[in-house]
Amino acid sequence: YIAGTVTIAPAPVTVTASDGAMDFGGSVPAITATYSGLVGITEPAVLATCSTAATATSTAGAYASSCEGASDPNHSFTYVDGTVTVGAVPVVVTASSASMTYGDDAAEILPTYSGLLNGDTAPATAPICGTDATSASGVGTYTSSCSGAADPSYTFTYVDGSVAVWPAPAMVTASSTSVAFGEDIP
């Protein structure tokens, strides 16, 4: 009899990082590992550590999640990345309201924002704001509006304002004249 050799190779295990979702400025989801292919055990001797590149300040988009470092004497490990999706947050842009006197230059219209996060004071691309009222606009109320804001971390809705045009003050002066006694008054 001649003895042979039996080689036991480590069982292949696939470690998959979990997917996740969050809003811009929100909490980063916990990334966990899923093990596929373990033989005789439910988890390896040393668990994988998992993380993602997404942070609370990451702009909207897709970021990788990954795991590494799992080990077990009877298993070999390969890793599959997951994805964390960061969603855009809604922001309301409101056009300012103003008043002006007929004949004056048009009022300056400015935006105000509701919903910006992480210390942002304006979107990456500010909106353009204006009004239909001009120096030649008659007395009345006109719409002020903003549009065109852009930022990968936000979606925008707009609220109009108004511009009131008031009458211009006018002074009416009667003419002066002189007449001799007994003449008709002009």
Side-chain angles (χ1 to χ4, degrees):
Y1 300 95
I2 298 175
T5 304
V6 175
T7 302
I8 300 176
V13 175
T14 301
V15 181
T16 303
S18 61
D19 293 331
M22 61 182 279
D23 285 335
F24 170 71
S27 298
V28 178
I31 305 302
T32 59
T34 302
Y35 303 95
S36 175
L38 291 172
V39 177
I41 57 175
T42 57
E43 59 184 37
V46 176
L47 297 175
T49 56
C50 302
S51 63
T52 180
T55 67
T57 58
S58 296
T59 57
Y63 296 84
S65 61
S66 61
C67 297
E68 63 183 6
S71 70
D72 190 272
N74 296 316
H75 297 86
S76 63
F77 298 90
T78 57
Y79 299 91
V80 176
D81 289 347
T83 302
V84 172
T85 303
V86 177
V89 174
V91 170
V92 176
V93 180
T94 303
S96 62
S97 293
S99 62
M100 59 185 272
T101 302
Y102 173 77
D104 287 350
D105 290 336
E108 181 180 13
I109 304 302
L110 300 172
T112 57
Y113 307 101
S114 175
L116 295 174
L117 300 173
N118 292 336
D120 290 345
T121 57
T125 301
I128 296 171
C129 300
T131 180
D132 296 336
T134 68
S135 60
S137 296
V139 171
T141 302
Y142 298 83
T143 300
S144 61
S145 62
C146 297
S147 64
D151 193 298
S153 298
Y154 301 107
T155 58
F156 298 94
T157 56
Y158 300 91
V159 175
D160 291 345
S162 62
V163 175
V165 178
W166 302 105
M171 182 178 292
V172 179
T173 304
S175 62
S176 299
T177 188
S178 60
V179 294
F181 179 77
E183 292 180 354
D184 290 335
I185 297 176

